[in-house]
Amino acid sequence: ADVVDLNTELSVERPNTLEEETYLCPSETSYVKPLRAINTEGKWRVIVNNIEAHYKTLTQTTRIEECLTSGDACPLVPECYETKCLQKSIYHRFLVYDAYDQYFPFAVETFKLPASCACLLGAYTIDH
């Protein structure tokens, strides 16, 4: 069949305005410039940020998204499905400073940060 001849008017119902758009799990997004954080080895580190260098301020900014209802059932999904909102994470690398390391005070280390909120969909159950 020719794609041009297909009637797709009712195949996808999408929002007409941005106010109608929604997500399965509510979350809060922000952009942060961390100064201290725990790395993937469980150690507190000082992150190099907001450094004045000549005519510029050097920063390390990252986007984080935190679940507001982590562990709760996903709204807008029928109760016949087992669902749960899950916090997803990402590994991010930052330049850090360690005043106690006299040979290599600067290093790039890995940090686990909240990246998104997802809806885990379980099995369909039929209750009679």
Side-chain angles (χ1 to χ4, degrees):
D2 192 0
V3 176
V4 177
D5 297 332
L6 293 176
N7 182 4
T8 59
E9 183 179 343
L10 299 175
S11 64
V12 176
E13 186 178 323
R14 49 180 268 157
N16 294 327
T17 62
L18 190 59
E19 290 80 31
E20 294 178 38
E21 183 178 346
T22 186
Y23 295 94
L24 285 177
C25 292
S27 64
E28 188 174 273
T29 302
S30 60
Y31 291 85
V32 296
K33 298 175 187 174
L35 298 175
R36 290 179 203 83
I38 298 175
N39 65 10
T40 53
E41 296 175 2
K43 297 178 182 175
W44 279 98
R45 292 292 186 228
V46 174
I47 298 174
V48 177
N49 229 329
N50 297 326
I51 302 297
E52 296 290 333
H54 301 289
Y55 56 91
K56 288 177 91 173
T57 302
L58 303 176
T59 61
Q60 298 184 86
T61 305
T62 188
R63 178 188 180 275
I64 62 170
E65 183 177 339
E66 297 178 286
C67 277
L68 298 176
T69 58
S70 187
D72 295 350
C74 304
L76 306 175
V77 179
E79 292 183 11
C80 57
Y81 290 97
E82 177 187 347
T83 62
K84 184 182 353 177
C85 290
L86 290 178
Q87 178 68 61
K88 305 287 269 183
S89 299
I90 191 168
Y91 290 96
H92 200 325
R93 296 169 61 89
F94 289 115
L95 177 65
V96 299
Y97 175 71
D98 185 359
Y100 297 107
D101 189 340
Q102 61 182 346
Y103 297 109
F104 299 106
F106 294 98
V108 175
E109 295 189 8
T110 307
F111 298 83
K112 187 176 179 180
L113 301 173
S116 64
C117 193
C119 179
L120 174 68
L121 186 61
Y124 177 78
T125 57
I126 301 175
D127 296 327
H128 289 40

